[in-house]
Amino acid sequence: MKPRVDITNRLWGSGLQRQREALAEANAEVSTVTVRGMRLRVARTPGSGTPLLLCNGIGANLELALTFARALRQPCILFDMPGNGGSPASWFCPVAAQYARFAAGVLDALGVSEPVAVAGVSWGGLVAQRFALDHPARVSHLVLMATTPGIIMFPGRPSALLRMITPQRYLSRTFMARNAGTLYGGAMRQHPEYAMEFAGLTRAPTAGAYFQQIFAAWSFTSLHWLRRIRCPALVIVGDDDPIVRPINGWLLAKLLPSARLVKIPQGGHLFMTTHAKAVGAMVSDFINGASR
């Protein structure tokens, strides 16, 4: 086995190359669309059946979700929020409703008019919830992974939240190597190479964009309107998630009228990637098997 430092240097030093490889491995078609006057980078992966629109985590570029997208049987639409990945930064009112409008604009720009499944992971789960509220006719299924109903929630572990409040994990390989287990839990605790793979696929967001997304989370709660979302919903949590305690998934599933809850054993905050094959199959089965 190579020393850990070799893995770190290899993956971090070739980050852009690794990102290009990940796009090629997923057969992703990358383009740029204009939404509400802003340029957003979009990727589409192949498949059959109902497309899935994925809203990614805070500060995350679309390459970080490609492992999950490859595990799906349906086509997946991923995009970078302003200031993340390949999308230029821009100032706007940073609220979840605005981010949901970006997601709707991506579908419009791509000419997707039929209902889609909408998924959100972590911070992106807030956007997915708001999208389902504001655009019910466009949503066939809702998938919420490692997420909460917003600022009114059961808080995560302070040790993880303190490390998450800044984008440092996107900027420093040393920080990522030392803190991945504490921050993300699950498989990251025993497999430092997972953290290095994550780092190798990461593009750092702009500081302004990162704090805009934090502000959107601080100003968001869905507790008073979740019962208005009528589409079938799948809520997935990890049983070892330091950022989003599993009880938040239970709360979401209780408030959504047509939801079921699944817990991933030994799943940390990034179970979507560390358990991609199982989670991807689960999501595809849900989308293909459930009806409105």
Side-chain angles (χ1 to χ4, degrees):
M1 179 180 296
K2 293 183 179 180
R4 184 180 305 176
V5 67
D6 289 347
I7 298 174
T8 301
N9 290 337
R10 176 170 57 82
L11 289 176
W12 188 273
S14 59
L16 290 177
Q17 178 60 32
R18 180 67 193 101
Q19 292 160 28
R20 287 192 286 266
E21 291 172 354
L23 289 166
E25 290 164 1
N27 293 318
E29 178 185 341
V30 181
S31 61
T32 300
V33 300
T34 300
V35 177
R36 305 180 72 84
M38 301 180 194
R39 290 189 297 115
L40 301 181
R41 187 177 65 135
V42 177
R44 303 181 75 171
T45 61
S48 59
T50 303
L52 183 141
L53 173 68
L54 179 66
C55 302
N56 217 338
I58 186 169
N61 51 292
L62 61 85
E63 285 87 353
L64 294 172
L66 287 173
T67 303
F68 168 74
R70 290 174 59 193
L72 294 168
R73 293 194 294 275
Q74 32 263 120
C76 187
I77 301 170
L78 311 100
F79 67 102
D80 288 333
M81 289 292 184
N84 294 353
S87 296
S90 183
W91 288 101
F92 51 87
C93 183
V95 294
Q98 177 63 64
Y99 288 104
R101 284 191 282 271
F102 288 140
V106 166
L107 295 180
D108 292 338
L110 295 176
V112 178
S113 58
E114 73 272 18
V116 299
V118 177
V121 56
S122 191
W123 177 90
L126 313 186
V127 180
Q129 291 170 60
R130 186 71 206 199
F131 187 99
L133 176 72
D134 293 344
H135 306 279
R138 305 192 76 165
V139 182
S140 65
H141 302 80
L142 177 64
V143 180
L144 301 175
M145 298 178 282
T147 193
T148 76
I151 192 62
I152 302 175
M153 64 175 183
F154 296 94
R157 297 174 190 170
S159 59
L161 296 179
L162 286 173
R163 288 166 173 81
M164 188 181 177
I165 201 69
T166 76
Q168 186 67 13
R169 66 190 187 280
Y170 291 125
L171 304 174
S172 168
R173 62 180 178 181
T174 302
F175 183 92
M176 174 64 75
R178 290 179 177 174
N179 294 280
T182 301
L183 183 59
Y184 297 118
M188 291 289 185
R189 299 189 192 278
Q190 293 81 32
H191 298 280
E193 67 272 18
Y194 288 178
M196 294 306 102
E197 174 71 4
F198 182 85
L201 290 172
T202 295
R203 291 194 192 186
T206 67
Y210 191 84
F211 289 109
Q212 280 179 285
Q213 289 181 271
I214 286 180
F215 182 85
W218 282 347
S219 61
F220 177 89
T221 181
S222 59
L223 289 176
H224 57 297
W225 48 254
L226 275 175
R227 292 194 178 279
R228 293 164 56 188
I229 297 176
R230 314 303 299 184
C231 65
L234 176 65
V235 181
I236 313 176
V237 298
D239 67 355
D240 183 25
D241 185 342
I243 296 174
V244 176
R245 294 183 186 272
I247 194 171
N248 288 290
W250 172 85
L251 181 59
L252 287 168
K254 283 292 184 183
L255 293 175
L256 288 163
S258 181
R260 63 185 177 94
L261 175 67
V262 176
K263 185 181 291 187
I264 304 297
Q266 300 178 352
H269 192 64
L270 299 181
F271 63 77
M272 183 184 77
T273 56
T274 60
H275 296 65
K277 186 174 181 179
V279 175
M282 181 189 308
V283 171
S284 286
D285 287 344
F286 167 69
I287 294 171
N288 296 328
S291 60
R292 289 186 65 92

